[in-house]
Amino acid sequence: MAQLPFKAARDGAIAALIAGLLALPLVGFRLVDQSGGEGLANRWPQLVAMIILVFVGRLALSLISGGAVRSVLFFMAAFAIGSLIIPWPSQFLEVVAVGGAALIAMRAAFLLLGSRPFGSMSGAVGLAGRYAPWAMIAFAALLPLLPFANRGVLDTGVMILTYVLLGWGLNIVTGLAGLLDLGYAAFFAIGAYTAAILGSTYGFSFWACLPLAAAFASAAGLLLGFPVLRLRGDYFAIVTLGFGEIIRIVANNWRSLTNGSQGIAGAPRPSFFGIADFTASPAPGHTAFNALFGIPYNPIHRIIFLYYLVLGAALLVNGFTLRIRRLPIGRAWEALREDEIAAQALGIDRRRVKLTAFAIGAAWGGVGGAFFAARQGFVSPESFGFMESVAVTAIVVLGGMGSQLGVVFAAVLYVGLSELFRPLEEYRMLVFGIAMIAIMRFRPRGLISTRRPTATLL
Amino acid sequence: MTALLSIKDLTMRFGGLVAIDSVSFDVRPEAITALIGPNGAGKTTLFNCVTGFYRPRSGSIRLDCSGRLTELSGQPGHCIAQLGIARTFQNIRLFANMTVLENLLVAQHAELMRASAFSIAGILGLPSYRRAEKKALDKARYWLDRVGLLSRANEPAQFLSYGQQRRLEIARAICSGPRLLCLDEPAAGLNSRETIELASLVRAVSQELGLAVLLIEHDMSLVMEISDHIVVLDYGRKIAEGSPASIRGDKAVIAAYLGEPDGEAA
């Protein structure tokens, strides 16, 4: 036991040495433009800070595996708090210091509690699973009334809910039917463009656009699905990936319809169920929302209304999925995910059943797109890149394939992390990637991996 | 006696390999027909032709659908299943993450689908659909009881032991309401007590439902005990056909497969 600190310090020193050697050329020097061409600048503070971090991290991990869990917990907790106060050479290093120390402290804490990190929470999750959904719905419903709910919070809320809606839509395709769709943004784009074009060019209202967006996206899903659904697994994923790109490129180049990369402004804003508009000065023959209720005009009314609309739509999708999962078609989706051959031998028409999943998932994607267009008021191809598809797929997979609650957690995490780390700019994706790796490491089947049976015998 | 399934001159090739070479035989209704032969004789290939997983090169497979003969070869697998042919697999194929009960409900897909009227009656929860679902649950409950898995009904199928998974797969095939049940090595990997239980289950089910069974099996004691009729394949050809007693004494079968009586072939 007396040798433990020495051994841990040696481990730390070796790790720090290796890190230092690697980082010296990568971090230590930097090319800068000078008057006489290019020159080298050094970044010793960053380098030293990095080596110290590696040393401390390795030391702590060695101490944990040596048994000194309690002291590591206190030390790392103190280190995390201290790192917040100490000025670090760069913000990125500060995040690494605080986050890393917090992770190690959490690991120590879990060891002290006698459980592996995130490993055996299923009992607690099962209990929380019963009440958490209702608590979350209540929170979501009350959010606009809370004092801190300013415009930014509500906008983020609408964004999270849109991702939840998309995640729940894709959950039918990927989570239940087991079809890895990497081009879901295509249906999202078709819905958004349908709403924007019908609204701005043909003067359709939002409420007319909404079902049409779903119908167009669903039709696109059927068209794509017919030839493609005979492909399996990876091949299917690749073709959907291509389809996602095709839709974006078409939107970029079909100028006469989509106005190319400049996008379409004037996507329809939702009116108050066709009764009143959210403007200070309504068009002749229209009523203003504030006049209808006799309250002073406030632009936030529109955002609150949109928030509730998306919340309602998302809950509708959720209710639909929970219901259809218990029907023969829903069970057939899951059976196909589990074993296509066996399902076919039981009389399930693989293509037709997959096609329904694909078309329904696409329709919900279209609804999400119409809401996206309504929120932005503006639609352009760059909103529907590959990263959007990846984000939605990641939300479904990280949330736990087929788990509705998991989608919510993952969507909050995704939007939350990218908003929280916005100051980090390009390092934002790095944080997101690390979070994904952490989830895959500690919960390989997603945040929530319990599956609720669709029928039970007493 | 008219045949339920009649196979005529069935041939199946994979490139240059002739897996099945113009095989003909009949499967009689309400009887157990066993298909035996050495490994690689083409037994499972023949199963796959009958159940629509392979498209045979030539020959015909006809199913007696209430007096009318329906050609099966070339039809997609799910249509053949809906005509009343259910099967199990050599390597068990359950819906592993779904519960034992759900496995049996998926088997009743076609019937429940009709009752749910394109899921509309199902989403609305109309009484007609709820009645159909109740019936399906009762059927599942009955067969779970028969195979001794009722107490495990709400557990994921992957948690069952190997022998239990075999029994569940058979129950699932039965729940799909077949007229012909194809069992591909149902006793593989079972111990002797489980094999005896399996034999009595297959026999009882066949009699209770008036079900025709087509059985691939290497366990000769099981085959001889429950079969009414045995077809022997070797290198894709039928080398013998007849009652268990006649097959046991058949010279060609002994040479190709069973071996001399003192050697334990099975």
Side-chain angles (χ1 to χ4, degrees), chain A residues 287-371:
Chain A
T287 332
F289 175 76
N290 57 319
L292 188 69
F293 287 91
I295 46 178
Y297 173 74
N298 188 339
I300 206 167
H301 290 156
R302 183 213 296 281
I303 298 168
I304 293 178
F305 181 64
L306 190 66
Y307 175 88
Y308 279 121
L309 271 189
V310 183
L311 179 63
L315 289 177
L316 181 75
V317 174
N318 182 39
F320 175 83
T321 306
L322 291 180
R323 183 99 198 151
I324 205 158
R325 241 192 103 218
R326 303 171 141 267
L327 294 182
I329 183 75
R331 288 199 196 102
W333 289 338
E334 291 200 77
L336 280 179
R337 178 194 67 200
E338 297 290 315
D339 194 321
E340 279 194 26
I341 303 278
Q344 188 183 355
L346 293 170
I348 290 173
D349 183 344
R350 288 189 286 179
R351 280 186 73 194
R352 189 190 292 182
V353 170
K354 281 187 194 171
L355 211 52
T356 46
F358 206 55
I360 291 172
W364 293 129
V367 169
F371 279 113

Side-chain angles (χ1 to χ4, degrees), chain A residues 338-339 347 451 454 457, chain B residues 82 93 97 102 123 129 154:
Chain A
E338 297 290 315
D339 194 321
R451 176 184 174 277
T454 63
L457 279 183
Chain B
Q82 285 177 11
R93 286 180 171 271
N97 285 307
E102 285 173 313
I123 285 188
Y129 173 72
N154 300 327

Side-chain angles (χ1 to χ4, degrees), chain A residues 51-72:
Chain A
I51 291 172
I52 290 173
L53 282 180
V54 171
F55 176 76
V56 170
R58 181 65 243 188
L59 181 76
L61 287 175
S62 287
L63 286 173
I64 286 181
S65 58
V69 180
R70 197 178 300 267
S71 45
V72 170

Side-chain angles (χ1 to χ4, degrees), chain B residues 70-84:
Chain B
T70 310
E71 178 62 52
L72 297 184
S73 80
Q75 287 211 46
H78 65 269
C79 292
I80 293 176
Q82 285 177 11
L83 284 172

Side-chain angles (χ1 to χ4, degrees), chain B residues 197-220:
Chain B
E197 283 171 8
L198 177 86
S200 59
L201 175 72
V202 172
R203 187 90 254 182
V205 166
S206 166
Q207 275 163 6
E208 180 181 332
L209 299 177
L211 197 62
V213 177
L214 182 60
L215 172 79
I216 295 179
E217 188 49 66
H218 283 298
D219 186 327
M220 277 309 119

Side-chain angles (χ1 to χ4, degrees), chain B residues 146-221:
Chain B
R146 284 296 299 272
V147 299
L149 292 174
L150 192 53
S151 60
R152 317 286 306 265
N154 300 327
E155 288 175 48
Q158 61 186 349
F159 289 176
L160 297 184
S161 73
Y162 187 82
Q164 290 170 331
Q165 293 196 8
R166 283 258 173 234
R167 295 208 298 274
L168 176 60
E169 205 189 16
I170 294 172
R172 186 178 69 180
I174 294 169
C175 270
S176 70
R179 287 181 298 144
L180 172 63
L181 180 62
C182 301
L183 304 175
D184 195 347
E185 298 201 23
L190 299 188
N191 63 33
S192 53
R193 190 175 55 83
E194 287 172 323
T195 306
I196 293 168
E197 283 171 8
L198 177 86
S200 59
L201 175 72
V202 172
R203 187 90 254 182
V205 166
S206 166
Q207 275 163 6
E208 180 181 332
L209 299 177
L211 197 62
V213 177
L214 182 60
L215 172 79
I216 295 179
E217 188 49 66
H218 283 298
D219 186 327
M220 277 309 119
S221 57

